[in-house]
Amino acid sequence: MAQSSEITDVGVAQGGLGVAIAAAIVQLNKAAVLPQCITMVASPAGTNTVKFPVYTKQDVTNAGYGVKNMASGAEATDANLTDIETTAVSVEVLRNAIRAEITDLAAHGNADALMVNAGTQLGNSIAKEFDINVCALFDGFATSKGTSSHGLKFVDLMDALASLEANDAPRPYHAVLHPQQMYGSYGLSNEFGSTSVEGSNAAFNGIGATGGVGEQFLGAGFVTSIAGINIYTSTSVPDGADATEKKGGIFASTAIGCGYVDQGGGSFVDMASERDESQAKTIMVANAYYAVSELVDLHGVEIHTEISG
């Protein structure tokens, strides 16, 4: 092409014209919410089963086998005899896995670290499945608060808290709720209104945007603790009768246990890869060896509420 008096634009200067690669947008599930909320026990080498001993709570007031109050001058009287009753919840550790097969040409032709991002997504999928398995146990709790015909109310949290305290569940308590149980038209955020909306009773009305729950909700847009209950949101929370309902949970760590194989540093996820030279590809596998189970039923409360009409 001959020199001319044209402006040097992309139509003229084509020889070195390239393509800019933006930072990869790797879509991930919100995951790994639940491990910090439950009892995690690593399976020792030589066994695939973790056994959780659960001691039955004693009735200290029983006249026959509770604590005996001695009368004055009768301290030599025999104390009541009581048994120490335990049961065992056994959890067999099982494999959970997912894989991706990436050809050499695909890896070479992508400038966004395809192999690294693939590993990130596989690990994230394992962590998400873990959360789903734990949240599925909420429906098994004997105690349930809330209603499928109204959104989440502050009184639902207080009723759950009262149940846990009445059953001597040890603190801290964790609430794992669907985002729409916390926010939106049927969320706990409705409690800031001055009138009843979807069953709310304006429990937070007048708190304003300064201090505590009010500041977190209205300022930061999220809340980390209410009445001493640690608040977590997760899309792993299951549906109720249909997608217009959700079944979250409020529980002590003793309500649910997990047995797992420690892959290092307390992680239950292990990434591995192998070559298939005949097809010029790399096989990436994310493995996790774990299983979850309910331990103490009365240390957990299901939170069943409506999230949409």
Side-chain angles (χ1 to χ4, degrees):
M1 181 175 176
Q3 182 180 3
S4 71
S5 59
E6 294 177 302
I7 295 173
T8 305
D9 60 12
V10 295
V12 175
Q14 300 182 45
L17 190 64
V19 178
I21 303 298
I25 300 174
V26 183
Q27 295 195 70
L28 300 175
N29 294 298
K30 184 176 183 179
V33 175
L34 274 299
Q36 62 195 313
C37 302
I38 66 175
T39 301
M40 301 283 293
V41 177
S43 174
T47 178
N48 293 333
T49 300
V50 173
K51 183 175 289 188
F52 295 87
V54 179
Y55 283 70
T56 302
K57 186 171 68 173
Q58 294 193 321
D59 179 5
V60 300
T61 64
N62 186 277
Y65 51 80
V67 176
K68 188 170 185 177
N69 300 304
M70 311 297 184
S72 177
E75 66 273 12
T77 304
D78 287 341
N80 284 343
L81 175 64
T82 188
D83 65 338
I84 307 299
E85 180 181 352
T86 69
T87 57
V89 177
S90 294
V91 177
E92 180 185 2
V93 176
L94 302 172
R95 182 188 181 214
N96 305 267
I98 188 171
R99 81 177 193 275
E101 299 181 358
I102 301 172
T103 66
D104 291 352
L105 196 58
H108 176 78
N110 279 270
D112 63 337
L114 176 62
M115 301 287 281
V116 174
N117 293 333
T120 299
Q121 282 206 315
L122 294 179
N124 174 256
S125 294
I126 290 285
K128 179 66 173 179
E129 179 67 11
F130 180 92
D131 284 359
I132 290 172
N133 289 339
V134 175
C135 288
L137 296 176
F138 298 163
D139 195 33
F141 292 148
T143 307
S144 180
K145 301 299 179 182
T147 172
S148 61
S149 58
H150 287 300
L152 181 63
K153 305 184 292 295
F154 180 66
V155 69
D156 298 331
L157 302 185
M158 292 300 94
D159 284 347
L161 180 61
S163 176
L164 295 176
E165 290 283 3
N167 287 289
D168 298 316
R171 287 180 178 264
Y173 300 147
H174 311 286
V176 179
L177 305 165
H178 190 274
Q180 288 172 282
Q181 289 184 295
M182 283 296 296
Y183 313 107
S185 301
Y186 291 75
L188 185 66
S189 54
N190 278 332
E191 294 286 29
F192 280 101
S194 59
T195 58
S196 177
V197 179
E198 302 302 342
S200 68
N201 50 22
F204 301 146
N205 183 35
I207 290 180
T210 59
V213 174
E215 183 176 10
Q216 289 192 43
F217 252 124
L218 302 182
F222 62 90
V223 61
T224 57
S225 178
I226 297 177
I229 303 170
N230 298 321
I231 304 295
Y232 303 90
T233 58
S234 173
T235 53
S236 300
V237 170
D239 292 346
D242 54 45
T244 67
E245 307 168 11
K246 291 294 179 181
K247 292 184 174 182
I250 298 179
F251 52 94
S253 298
T254 48
I256 297 172
C258 170
Y260 70 99
V261 174
D262 190 346
Q263 304 291 351
S267 173
F268 54 81
V269 180
D270 176 57
M271 290 297 305
S273 64
E274 65 177 355
R275 288 289 299 166
D276 184 342
E277 293 294 354
S278 67
Q279 296 190 24
K281 65 184 179 183
T282 298
I283 302 170
M284 304 181 68
V285 183
N287 287 304
Y289 295 87
Y290 70 84
V292 296
S293 177
E294 180 184 289
L295 300 180
V296 182
D297 181 83
L298 294 178
H299 288 184
V301 177
E302 177 190 73
I303 304 296
H304 186 186
T305 65
E306 187 178 17
I307 63 165
S308 64

